[in-house]
Amino acid sequence: MDICFHYSDIEGQKNLLNSLTTLSMDYHELVIVCVGTDRVSGDSLGPLVGTLLLEECRYANVYGTLDRPVHAQNLDVTIDKIKRLHPEAFVIAIDACLGRAMNVEKITFARRALKPGTGVSKTLPEVGNVNIQGIVNIAGFMPQMVIQNTRMNTIYNMAKVISGTLAQMVIAHKNIFPVYKLKQA
């Protein structure tokens, strides 16, 4: 079942946490891939989530931060590295996306791989067992221009919610599987 909620909706946050926690319990290792770049405000959601998550959970396996983003140019290499270092991990992919006006500022969760770049007509490899996306602006005419003119306040608020939820899930997972493999990106 997919989840979609406004970032300020506490029940939506709880549902996301419960879904992630339940799904991750079948795996001994977690990897979080935060896709995007800090060079475009609307595409910085992923790297900001990665940075905030590592501030809360230094031991989390996170690929994609403001300092070391995962983007179109290095996504293939990153996916190969994850497959090599974490072959049996539960992979959660995070990205920003464009959507309908009524869905801007909503966070979605889907039990399928992320297809990054589709909103700006890029064909990139899929990543993750599941994905979390933040709808940061309106899809439609001139998506490259729209994504570049997205409010940083929206990105920051969504990133805080997503990273906070992921931190709770990582901590719960570590408490159940205390021999957590530490393989930093």
Side-chain angles (χ1 to χ4, degrees):
M1 177 170 118
D2 291 352
I3 299 171
C4 181
F5 62 96
H6 188 272
Y7 71 80
S8 64
D9 178 2
I10 301 300
E11 284 304 310
Q13 294 173 33
K14 288 178 185 175
N15 290 338
L16 177 60
L17 177 60
N18 289 337
S19 292
L20 287 170
T21 303
T22 300
L23 290 170
S24 71
M25 290 307 148
D26 291 336
Y27 299 82
H28 286 271
E29 186 178 19
L30 304 174
V31 171
I32 297 135
V33 182
C34 302
V35 180
T37 178
D38 62 337
R39 294 176 184 253
V40 177
S41 64
D43 200 26
S44 65
L45 178 68
L48 186 55
V49 167
T51 299
L52 293 172
L53 178 56
L54 281 178
E55 287 177 1
E56 285 191 61
C57 296
R58 299 291 312 155
Y59 52 82
N61 291 315
V62 176
Y63 290 81
T65 62
L66 291 171
D67 187 45
R68 298 178 73 185
V70 172
H71 46 66
Q73 285 76 35
N74 66 4
L75 183 60
D76 285 340
V77 173
T78 303
I79 291 171
D80 289 343
K81 185 175 184 179
I82 291 167
K83 286 178 180 176
R84 188 171 29 84
L85 296 177
H86 316 278
E88 300 196 20
F90 180 62
V91 181
I92 304 165
I94 317 296
D95 199 6
C97 70
L98 301 175
R100 300 168 80 182
M102 62 191 240
N103 290 328
V104 173
E105 298 187 343
K106 289 188 177 178
I107 296 169
T108 66
F109 169 75
R111 294 179 187 194
R112 63 182 170 275
L114 174 70
K115 296 179 183 178
T118 54
V120 289
S121 303
K122 289 185 180 178
T123 304
L124 299 171
E126 294 182 2
V127 60
N129 299 91
V130 299
N131 75 75
I132 300 171
Q133 293 184 301
I135 304 169
V136 299
N137 214 328
I138 302 167
F141 183 67
M142 295 178 59
Q144 294 285 6
M145 184 65 87
V146 171
I147 199 102
Q148 289 178 14
N149 289 296
T150 298
R151 293 195 64 220
M152 199 63 209
N153 185 58
T154 299
I155 302 299
Y156 180 72
N157 286 325
M158 294 173 87
K160 284 191 336 188
V161 168
I162 295 168
S163 64
T165 302
L166 289 169
Q168 291 177 62
M169 187 255 329
V170 168
I171 291 166
H173 191 271
K174 183 177 185 281
N175 289 335
I176 291 170
F177 298 105
V179 202
Y180 198 84
K181 291 183 181 176
L182 181 59
K183 294 181 184 174
Q184 284 294 340

